[in-house]
Amino acid sequence: MRPLTDSPIARDGKVLILAYDHGLEHGPVDFEDVPATMNPETVFDIATHEAVTGFAVQKGLAEAYYPSYEDDVNLVAKLNGTSNLWMGEPNSAVNWSAEKAADLGADAIGFTLYGGSNHEVEMAEEFRDAQETARDKDMGVVMWSYPRGQGVKNDTKPGTISYAARLGLELGADVAKIKYPGDPEAMAHACDAAATTDVVMSGGSKTNDEAFLRTVKEAMDAGAKGLAVGRNVFQRENPEAILDGLEKVIFEESSVEEALDAVEGNGKQATLE
Amino acid sequence: MRPLTDSPIARDGKVLILAYDHGLEHGPVDFEDVPATMNPETVFDIATHEAVTGFAVQKGLAEAYYPSYEDDVNLVAKLNGTSNLWMGEPNSAVNWSAEKAADLGADAIGFTLYGGSNHEVEMAEEFRDAQETARDKDMGVVMWSYPRGQGVKNDTKPGTISYAARLGLELGADVAKIKYPGDPEAMAHACDAAATTDVVMSGGSKTNDEAFLRTVKEAMDAGAKGLAVGRNVFQRENPEAILDGLEKVIFEESSVEEALDAVEGNGKQATLE
Amino acid sequence: MRPLTDSPIARDGKVLILAYDHGLEHGPVDFEDVPATMNPETVFDIATHEAVTGFAVQKGLAEAYYPSYEDDVNLVAKLNGTSNLWMGEPNSAVNWSAEKAADLGADAIGFTLYGGSNHEVEMAEEFRDAQETARDKDMGVVMWSYPRGQGVKNDTKPGTISYAARLGLELGADVAKIKYPGDPEAMAHACDAAATTDVVMSGGSKTNDEAFLRTVKEAMDAGAKGLAVGRNVFQRENPEAILDGLEKVIFEESSVEEALDAVEGNGKQATLE
Amino acid sequence: MRPLTDSPIARDGKVLILAYDHGLEHGPVDFEDVPATMNPETVFDIATHEAVTGFAVQKGLAEAYYPSYEDDVNLVAKLNGTSNLWMGEPNSAVNWSAEKAADLGADAIGFTLYGGSNHEVEMAEEFRDAQETARDKDMGVVMWSYPRGQGVKNDTKPGTISYAARLGLELGADVAKIKYPGDPEAMAHACDAAATTDVVMSGGSKTNDEAFLRTVKEAMDAGAKGLAVGRNVFQRENPEAILDGLEKVIFEESSVEEALDAVEGNGKQATLE
Amino acid sequence: MRPLTDSPIARDGKVLILAYDHGLEHGPVDFEDVPATMNPETVFDIATHEAVTGFAVQKGLAEAYYPSYEDDVNLVAKLNGTSNLWMGEPNSAVNWSAEKAADLGADAIGFTLYGGSNHEVEMAEEFRDAQETARDKDMGVVMWSYPRGQGVKNDTKPGTISYAARLGLELGADVAKIKYPGDPEAMAHACDAAATTDVVMSGGSKTNDEAFLRTVKEAMDAGAKGLAVGRNVFQRENPEAILDGLEKVIFEESSVEEALDAVEGNGKQATLE
């Protein structure tokens, strides 16, 4: 366990991971709202925003683009993932060895665990190997802890989310990415369950600015150490604006209103330029 | 086979393992009775009680907390385990390599075997690897020997419990953790079946002080060399008190009444302070 | 990711891969139209045509013939493949280790991924190993990205083809071989989805000269960087003629009509000789 | 193939293996007739009888007791085995690596193969690894060749037993342990089928002295080179007596009557002492 | 690919492999016609006939007998095989590592591939490993290419046989052993399909001298480079006689009548002695 204060993917102990593995997990359909985001350069550029402390991509994108961005972006090497053409019980192929991620200069690894899937045991053992290599290579460890599959009827039930957070702690992740369980008390419980493992909220599908920022604020107040977000940033016309707002909420303890001002200020600024 | 007299997780040839892998195996629900126990520090502190000869946790907890407790706690590295979201035949992911457990300074490994499960063969082969590495690295070997699954109709039947104890011996565990089979004769038979492998009783779900201590006493008198306990300690308001009582029964050959006095004495003492 | 401008299997950043693994994938039945093509020498000779920038074969053919052609042919080592006697979910055996392909002097590896098959996860992990070895050994990486199996109802649907192209990018292929999705807009979308991964159109079953060249021209205009073709070349009586035409379309930005002239010119020339 | 004349587990080319893996394969129930046999020391002591040329136990027993008996007992390291809680197709976990068996000083390895089980292929490949390591480490190889499972309707049919014996030869065992097929002609055929691989009869469930000795005598006369026996020795009140009798039949070409005299002599002697 | 002209298992570019793995594949029942053949010495002696260019056996037989015959017999190490007690989809255990076969002095490896079986992919990958090791160790590679299982309705259909021959070529075998497809044209097509991989006809069940020699002659005339035969030699009373006949047909381009004279001449000679 490496405390976030020491981590290259944190700023003042807080984390904002921009995730961009949707091309693998969901396919190009996720880029339809903002077609420019199909081009990884667009999203690598977004990732240089100073609020973004880590950028999570699959091996292919990292090989092709990270060398040009390594001074401006911290790399979270998302080691596993699978297309949504897959019809079996939830599972994720390990597409990238942790060793090669280290060779490319990754600051942390990202790894999905589907607790409750009939592949849970197999995925946990793959996580073990990746986590132990990450320790050897001095990379951080972020777990996408998503209960799913035969054993999970409701994957946003508070008890399930708290369990997901705890799995991050028990199995040795520095950071656990979990879904927001719907209310601050439940989120606080999940953060407590994770103890020294820092919890980041998963951004989920796109919502409006205020609703999104309010939820992030609730999560932070409940004990989360940040956010891992994809579509709620890159599916917006002005992703920098929402990042300005997130920066306020996550790193500056601002109110939702202040954050909304920042979003709108950026919007105007963009208009004025 | 290393005799308990030489083992770092024994005291005068007796063992009291405090197990705290419930966050993985059962989830945060096990911490509801005493919410402070969700914080691993609370339970690591309990583990510094002089009656506790070994503390069993998963990799993540050990990485995060053991370095601060290594002078006061003997580490039993619980290598495998699975969430109870898992709906398949009983199985356990190997979440921690024995090599890494040794690197962290573990005194012993803990490993679950579900005899009778359709995964028994696979788990036994994983145990082989862990056990052989433990021998190389001079760590003790504790088997959680729990018959379960398709081949097991009644997992507390005396014959099944004695078989479980014997599996510990046959496969090379120093200590076999088994369920209490219900009466002293059956326990004595199980201890005989284990021969040089020391048997420890599994604490099970929480019961009242007297019933619990009486069962432990019965087990000790029947030949057990100690106890591996979790909920019956950390789900109590005053875990130190029950540990005082267990110390009497396990290490000092005291009667149940003397042990209850110790529990209550601690309780009063706690009140007086 | 190695740009095609640097790649030994490209010419001016374009690619024409002649594929000849049909003896494994379909069996000798594919050689019935032109019986001479059952003899690999016939097709190795075709592969020396200057338009062919890479020749894709399985290990056995490479071992037997490539040493005699290594000055005139660039080898794409097709590492996996399976006979069509196979009745299970789409899968491909890895018949050739990437290390041995490098030893033989391969310029690139070729690897099939059946996204959506129940073997997708397994194949993706085998691809990982091959791709990472290819990087170490400085070989290019070509993915045959063919969604197929339980998760795929229509494998030429534009969305599926674009997803296939994107998988090449995400997983670390330099070149993704995809089916033509039926119209130029869909092909352009697929090429965009692949970003820096170059897209080559799969030749498919034999069609007439004009229809074939017109489709290739459409694909090139839509952003494809070339073609990977087998039957549409070697099942023709005069494969050199169609290669002359393809050379026009792929490398010289010629019109379909100019390309057809080249095909016919070669035909006449062949008649005159 | 190492001839028995050279083997440390033979005496004058004959073999008497005492097997004591029943605690794993059947559980403590096999020790009920003679409760002292639950204690491995009791049976290790029996194994020091000069008629016993090899003693077969699992890893745990060997680790715990063999160091004290290594001058008086030849160790047959029984590498695989499974509890009878297992309800799947016949299978055996490899509980002990051949390398570690060699480190402990094993003279031979013992390995079960269930021909006809749906795990036959897997078990044969595990046997390959163990057998090849045994060759490297100069240990003998004993196969428990027991057809069983989906492909086997009658496991004592002569044709099946001869096939079992032949599997020992074909796959590289020095000694094949088979069931007695019921009559001397069938046993002779099985011994012929095994050619240079020596055949030993499996002792099976307990029978009376005369019946047992007569069967062993028949087997020896039919070409067997000895016996591998467990319950028919250690489930007797006076195991040394039956070993005296077996010594006559196996090593001294005595008649059944002479052997029975030896058994009874020992019995009287025991009474006289 | 090593041309047969260089191969230690060829004579003038032709091959006659005597196969004797029937004890594993079929069991002792195959030795009933000529009981002496149950003794491997009998068949090793037959293999010293000068017409036999390679002798194919499993590991156990090779370890036990080959050292005494290594000056007179070329060893084809049959690496995989399974008993016919096996009831699953066609599969073959790898009973012998290619490395150990090389250590024993094998001239070539033999490997079965069941194209069309649900285990085809697994077997092809095992073949890959064996074939690549054979290349490293300078051993020849013979594939028993036998389509069988769920994907194969008729395993002697010409198209299937030609496909089998082609699989040998594509996957890197020097020699492909296939069944005779019933007529010379089909055999010629299969030989063409195999290109540089030499085709040998599988001997099959015992037939009479003339029918057998006539089929072999047809196969040779059709392009086969020889024969791999077991029962049609060793199930005969005078195996040397039929080998004399086969020598004529395979190596001396004799007519069937000349070959029959050789068979009968040997028979008389045998009678005269």
Side-chain angles (χ1 to χ4, degrees), chain B residues 15-52:
Chain B
V15 169
L16 199 173
I17 294 170
L18 183 64
Y20 180 59
D21 58 348
H22 304 70
L24 173 61
E25 297 281 348
H26 303 165
V29 70
D30 270 23
F31 309 132
E32 284 180 4
D33 284 7
V34 184
T37 58
M38 192 141 82
N39 185 343
E41 263 183 25
T42 306
V43 190
F44 265 88
D45 285 341
I46 298 171
T48 63
H49 189 289
E50 66 181 355
V52 177

Side-chain angles (χ1 to χ4, degrees), chain E residues 17-251:
Chain E
I17 294 169
L18 183 63
Y20 179 59
D21 58 348
H22 304 70
L24 172 62
E25 297 282 348
H26 303 165
V29 69
D30 271 22
F31 310 133
E32 284 180 4
D33 283 7
V34 184
T37 59
M38 192 140 82
N39 185 343
E41 263 183 26
T42 306
V43 189
F44 266 88
D45 285 342
I46 297 171
T48 64
H49 189 290
E50 65 181 355
V52 177
T53 63
F55 187 44
V57 290
Q58 289 279 331
K59 178 168 65 175
L61 294 188
E63 285 185 340
Y65 297 91
Y66 181 64
S68 307
Y69 287 86
E70 60 189 352
D71 296 336
D72 303 307
V73 163
N74 296 320
L75 178 61
V76 178
K78 185 70 187 359
L79 301 189
N80 66 348
T82 293
S83 84
N84 69 12
L85 300 168
W86 174 261
M87 288 293 117
E89 264 281 289
N91 197 1
S92 252
V94 181
N95 299 309
W96 195 354
S97 70
E99 288 79 6
K100 290 288 175 192
D103 290 350
L104 199 73
D107 298 289
I109 61 164
F111 207 99
T112 297
L113 179 76
Y114 293 132
S117 163
N118 290 338
H119 295 291
E120 174 185 342
V121 167
E122 171 191 344
M123 295 180 81
E125 297 189 344
E126 292 169 340
F127 174 75
R128 173 200 64 217
D129 288 340
Q131 191 262 8
E132 296 188 353
T133 302
R135 293 289 177 244
D136 288 343
K137 302 285 186 180
D138 202 28
M139 298 183 287
V141 176
V142 184
M143 180 189 282
W144 272 232
S145 189
Y146 287 174
R148 193 173 291 181
Q150 196 191 342
V152 182
K153 290 200 184 65
N154 176 352
D155 70 354
T156 53
K157 199 173 65 169
T160 302
I161 297 291
S162 288
Y163 204 162
R166 184 75 181 194
L167 291 179
L169 171 68
E170 297 275 341
L171 301 179
D174 302 328
V175 177
K177 181 188 177 204
I178 59 172
K179 296 200 173 182
Y180 189 67
D183 66 81
E185 291 72 30
M187 190 65 178
H189 187 266
C191 294
D192 284 353
T196 52
T197 291
D198 292 298
V199 166
V200 298
M201 188 188 106
S202 171
S205 321
K206 200 176 84 172
T207 52
N208 74 49
D209 290 359
E210 185 179 347
F212 181 49
L213 290 167
R214 195 165 299 283
T215 306
V216 176
K217 178 70 179 168
E218 277 178 12
M220 296 302 293
D221 289 348
K225 291 294 171 56
L227 177 72
V229 62
R231 290 167 287 170
N232 256 308
V233 166
F234 71 69
Q235 286 184 351
R236 279 175 154 77
E237 282 303 324
N238 190 343
E240 284 79 12
I242 193 73
L243 285 171
D244 287 350
L246 289 168
E247 190 168 20
K248 290 278 174 199
V249 168
I250 293 171
F251 300 102

Side-chain angles (χ1 to χ4, degrees), chain B residues 160-173:
Chain B
T160 302
I161 297 291
S162 289
Y163 205 161
R166 184 75 181 192
L167 291 179
L169 171 68
E170 297 276 342
L171 301 179

